[in-house]
Amino acid sequence: MKTKLSLFLVCIVLAGGCKRYERIDDLATTPAPVVVTRGQETEAAETEEPTQETREVEIEVNTKDGRRRRKPVKVKGIYISAYVAGTESMMDEIIRNIDATEINAVVIDVKDDNGRITFSMDTPAVNEIGAVKRFIPDIEGLMKKLKEHNIYTIARVVAFRDPYLPEQKPELALKLPDGSIYRDSHGLAWVNPYKREIWDYLVEVGLGAREAGFDEVQFDYIRFSTEKGVGAVVYDEADTRGRSKTDIITEFIDYAYEKLAEEGIYVAADVFGAIIIGGVDSDTVGQSYEDMAEHLDYICPMIYPSHYGDGNFGIDHPDTEPYRTILAALKGSRASLGGHEKVDGGQIVVRPWLQDFTASYLDHYIEYGPSQVREQIQAVYDSGYDEWMLWSAACRYHWDGLKTPQEAAEEQRQRESGRTEAEETMPLPSSQGAKAGETGPAWLGSFQTGRRRKAA
């Protein structure tokens, strides 16, 4: 398994990076979302007042660390680009669909893929480099509307892929031996994760998101570049001080978490799905699934079926089998993290990204629609997790693959009741996982884990 996933990442490097998103031209045009009606059932749900149980919002004190935070929400979210978030008519359509479905959260670009801050943010470092590009002209009005609909708000902050900051401050960029700025296959610069100034900048953006009213900061591209030519990048020993890529990414997570959590905001990070079992993939991107999980509230593996190469998990073409692919990936997560807690004593929450787009660039793919979305969601539940998010770069979602708030609440009650009974007979994953043919939890099957943390 580790060999196949490692080969998959090599393919990513040679092909010019991970396809975290859909095609770039989809991002550039960002058409209006396609609103799919749910028939009479949805029409009734749109007019029915959501129940207190399904739309409850509370503030509570975290008794473990005394920090005042919003009551945790079991997120069922969607990604919203800054352009869409800043276009009132599009957001009104999306909110109308959210009210009619189980979706209760949105992930909105605050620092986007081009390194731009998407609304006015009165913070020193942001203003110093002129990073603001107001895709969202009225952030106050947008947040007010989202809160009125009890929608949990997550600020997406792209971290180390930042083509804007290096142009303003070249000393913070990844550098080649001749002193020139390293650029990926798209001609975009990346910042150097070893530079503490960048950590402070990202924390400042996170605090600016909190000031705007966001409940959570979710870091994306919290990794090193994997593109062709990155092997030529040189690092100053004064910066690295003997620390590996995984060391520094984990150290940044710890640093950012402490700064943001003390201000009452939840902290999450998106990670490659391929790093769940560790090995060379983790060393290349700098992401250690287990170590990062110790310093976060939420870890969000991007386990889109389209991201796995042919043969992964024993599946000929993973994109064509969304249920099996998601289930296998999350079994790996359970085996890797089961029974472990964060450094502050809390339990990490795994909240995967699911695919709501068609990967037509693959040789073997299927059209993704309501059924494929639902299959992935069911796989999340069958693996023992509760939260998930849907990704569509164009913000076009298959709403009729989702349940109403009332249906989802009943499903959750039944699921939790079933788990309570199952937990009495199903042990946690062992520290080494279950190998093929060995006795272990029924859900683990023949999955083999990668390396694990040593107990503290």
Side-chain angles (χ1 to χ4, degrees):
M1 181 68 70
K2 290 173 66 176
T3 300
K4 290 182 178 178
L5 288 174
S6 299
L7 290 174
F8 174 53
L9 188 58
V10 171
C11 293
I12 289 174
V13 174
L14 295 177
C18 175
K19 289 187 178 294
R20 167 64 168 90
Y21 315 106
E22 295 179 65
R23 294 173 182 267
I24 296 299
D25 51 5
D26 285 340
L27 276 170
T29 56
T30 315
V34 175
V35 180
V36 184
T37 60
R38 291 170 54 89
Q40 294 180 347
E41 178 181 308
T42 295
E43 292 173 3
E46 288 176 343
T47 58
E48 183 177 346
E49 187 70 17
T51 64
Q52 178 77 3
E53 180 177 3
T54 59
R55 297 298 191 197
E56 184 177 23
V57 178
E58 292 182 10
I59 299 293
E60 66 175 17
V61 174
N62 184 324
T63 56
K64 290 181 181 294
D65 56 17
R67 293 165 177 155
R68 189 168 178 79
R69 287 175 159 183
R70 173 175 173 161
K71 184 177 180 178
V73 171
K74 288 189 176 181
V75 161
K76 301 175 181 181
I78 56 173
Y79 162 74
I80 302 294
S81 70
Y83 172 77
V84 171
T87 305
E88 187 174 6
S89 60
M90 291 183 177
M91 278 307 298
D92 286 345
E93 287 289 346
I94 287 174
I95 290 173
R96 186 154 49 248
N97 279 287
I98 288 175
D99 285 345
T101 66
E102 61 194 301
I103 297 297
N104 63 1
V106 290
V107 182
I108 298 175
D109 283 333
V110 169
K111 180 174 180 284
D112 68 14
D113 299 83
N114 294 313
R116 306 308 293 267
I117 308 303
T118 61
F119 55 83
S120 294
M121 188 178 290
D122 188 20
T123 57
V126 168
N127 291 332
E128 178 188 350
I129 63 173
V132 171
K133 189 170 184 179
R134 293 178 69 241
F135 290 105
I136 306 174
D138 182 14
I139 187 63
E140 294 83 4
L142 173 62
M143 297 303 292
K144 181 176 183 292
K145 184 178 293 185
L146 292 171
K147 298 302 181 185
E148 287 173 349
H149 289 261
N150 290 335
I151 297 172
Y152 185 80
T153 52
I154 303 172
R156 177 175 177 257
V157 175
V158 176
F160 301 123
R161 183 193 183 190
D162 187 333
Y164 184 79
L165 181 57
E167 305 300 340
Q168 314 307 312
K169 294 192 172 187
E171 69 274 15
L172 300 180
L174 291 180
K175 297 288 187 64
L176 297 173
D178 63 1
S180 62
I181 295 176
Y182 159 79
R183 298 181 187 278
D184 63 22
S185 60
H186 299 291
L188 304 178
W190 287 61
V191 292
N192 185 348
Y194 285 101
K195 298 288 188 181
R196 182 63 67 95
E197 300 96 312
I198 296 167
W199 297 12
D200 290 329
Y201 178 57
L202 292 170
V203 167
E204 183 175 299
V205 172
L207 293 174
R210 175 193 177 280
E211 185 68 23
F214 282 90
D215 300 303
E216 178 179 321
V217 168
Q218 182 184 98
F219 290 108
D220 198 0
Y221 281 99
I222 189 167
R223 62 176 177 84
F224 286 78
S225 174
T226 61
E227 301 218 13
K228 186 177 181 180
V230 74
V233 169
V234 294
Y235 300 93
D236 192 327
E237 176 58 30
D239 292 327
T240 63
R241 303 199 307 277
R243 293 171 295 179
S244 68
K245 290 180 178 180
T246 52
D247 288 339
I248 204 64
I249 294 299
T250 302
E251 191 175 324
F252 163 72
I253 283 291
D254 184 30
Y255 181 84
Y257 178 84
E258 287 304 313
K259 297 288 186 181
L260 295 173
E262 70 182 12
E263 295 299 326
I265 193 165
Y266 290 105
V267 184
D270 298 337
V271 298
F272 272 170
I275 62 104
I276 288 176
I277 63 169
V280 67
D281 296 334
S282 293
D283 298 334
T284 301
V285 301
Q287 294 178 342
S288 169
Y289 193 65
E290 297 166 346
D291 293 340
M292 291 174 72
E294 289 186 342
H295 303 277
L296 292 163
D297 295 305
Y298 304 95
I299 193 164
C300 309
M302 299 175 289
I303 53 173
Y304 314 116
S306 61
H307 279 194
Y308 292 98
D310 290 350
N312 267 258
F313 308 120
I315 302 171
D316 289 342
H317 310 300
D319 187 68
T320 67
E321 297 194 50
Y323 176 84
R324 287 184 62 200
T325 301
I326 298 300
L327 187 66
L330 292 180
K331 282 180 178 180
S333 175
R334 286 291 300 269
S336 180
L337 299 180
H340 287 272
E341 293 187 334
K342 299 188 311 178
V343 291
D344 67 357
Q347 182 67 47
I348 185 67
V349 174
V350 176
R351 184 199 294 154
W353 280 102
L354 307 179
Q355 177 173 328
D356 196 0
F357 60 90
T358 296
S360 57
Y361 47 82
L362 296 177
D363 291 333
H364 302 281
Y365 71 94
I366 60 173
E367 292 287 334
Y368 271 60
S371 296
Q372 289 71 33
V373 168
R374 199 72 226 169
E375 285 180 32
Q376 294 175 88
I377 294 170
Q378 189 61 49
V380 172
Y381 297 152
D382 289 350
S383 66
Y385 293 127
D386 294 302
E387 303 189 29
W388 44 266
M389 299 170 293
L390 302 179
W391 178 271
S392 166
C395 304
R396 293 190 293 240
Y397 295 100
H398 293 89
W399 300 101
D400 50 350
L402 303 172
K403 295 181 181 294
T404 66
Q406 294 76 23
E407 292 170 342
E410 177 58 28
E411 179 187 49
Q412 180 176 323
R413 280 192 289 270
Q414 294 178 2
R415 193 167 65 250
E416 290 178 349
S417 174
R419 283 182 189 167
T420 300
E421 296 175 2
E423 284 171 358
E424 296 177 359
T425 57
M426 186 178 74
L428 286 171
S430 70
S431 61
Q432 298 300 319
K435 296 182 179 180
E438 293 181 345
T439 301
W443 57 263
L444 191 57
S446 60
F447 185 86
Q448 298 184 44
T449 64
R451 64 177 181 82
R452 295 186 54 80
R453 281 195 310 275
K454 293 182 180 179

